[in-house]
Amino acid sequence: MFKDLVTKCRTCRRFYEEVRIPTEDLKELVNLARLTPSTSNSQALKFRLCNTPEETDKVYETLGWAGALPEWDGPEKGERPSAYIVILCDLSLGKNKLYDDGIAAQTMMLGAVENGYGGCILGNVQRSRLAEALGIDTTLYSVDLVLALGKPKEEVVIVPVKEDGDIRYYRDENQVHYVPKRTVDELIV
């Protein structure tokens, strides 16, 4: 069921780094994004696939990982993503396609989870540094989001929001990652 897939599609920040994602699997995720709606049907998004250790190391160095976990600097070597999809906007076709970015990123995440992978959609990106590291011409493309992908190494559990209203995600001593969610009734106005 689709609800099960959405529930299973949780942000993952620790991976089995040695499990590589083949280029063909990444291309299939981009194909899913290609089929999604696009503002004015501009189809302005482009994608840079990174799945070699050399490229993934370059991408990793430009990312911020978990705002609600300030004491955590991100996954350790061996637990880092084995692939990234950098979501770009072709500036000749449009700009500020933030809705398109989100739709494409979530669609690719759902496809990744369906295929046994996990991921994290990252907006905390040192964009100019990443563009330089990957040789992306910023006069032609904007760096919008980065999708980190790999075989999940962590358990992510949805829990109710605490009585104090705190929605920050957290980890326990066993590194189980908890994500507080409001109830449906709280969302409907």
Side-chain angles (χ1 to χ4, degrees):
M1 281 186 54
F2 186 67
K3 180 181 176 185
D4 295 333
L5 179 60
V6 171
T7 302
K8 189 177 174 185
C9 188
R10 309 302 336 144
T11 295
C12 177
R13 294 178 180 86
R14 293 172 45 239
F15 306 89
Y16 292 99
E17 189 172 352
E18 70 277 6
V19 178
R20 308 310 295 179
I21 299 179
T23 301
E24 285 308 310
D25 288 3
L26 297 175
K27 284 183 177 180
E28 184 52 37
L29 296 177
V30 170
N31 189 47
L32 293 174
R34 177 185 73 83
L35 299 171
T36 64
S38 172
T39 304
S40 301
N41 200 32
S42 64
Q43 302 173 61
L45 297 184
K46 304 293 181 184
F47 306 90
R48 173 66 184 270
L49 309 179
C50 301
N51 64 346
T52 66
E54 298 77 28
E55 282 192 317
T56 58
D57 286 347
K58 288 179 184 179
V59 176
Y60 177 83
E61 294 301 322
T62 69
L63 303 174
W65 279 92
L69 303 173
E71 70 286 351
W72 190 64
D73 293 330
E76 298 175 13
K77 192 73 174 147
E79 294 186 341
R80 294 178 180 169
S82 61
Y84 295 94
I85 298 176
V86 180
I87 302 175
L88 309 167
C89 184
D90 182 332
L91 299 173
S92 71
L93 299 174
K95 55 186 169 183
N96 299 322
K97 303 293 185 192
L98 300 179
Y99 300 112
D100 292 15
D101 291 332
I103 292 167
Q106 180 64 12
T107 300
M108 290 188 289
M109 278 282 294
L110 289 165
V113 169
E114 184 177 57
N115 288 312
Y117 301 119
C120 183
I121 301 169
L122 294 156
N124 186 357
V125 180
Q126 297 171 31
R127 287 168 173 77
S128 53
R129 186 173 165 204
L130 177 59
E132 183 178 332
L134 295 180
I136 296 168
D137 185 342
T138 56
T139 65
L140 301 176
Y141 304 101
S142 64
V143 175
D144 293 353
L145 292 172
V146 174
L147 183 58
L149 298 164
K151 180 169 176 47
K153 189 174 186 173
E154 65 185 356
E155 180 183 0
V156 181
V157 179
I158 296 173
V159 294
V161 173
K162 295 178 183 176
E163 287 192 25
D164 65 5
D166 190 355
I167 58 166
R168 288 177 292 175
Y169 48 83
Y170 57 94
R171 291 196 174 148
D172 67 15
E173 64 280 354
N174 296 317
Q175 296 304 307
V176 174
H177 189 86
Y178 295 92
V179 181
K181 291 290 185 181
R182 293 182 172 95
T183 66
V184 170
D185 289 339
E186 291 176 277
L187 302 178
I188 298 174
V189 294

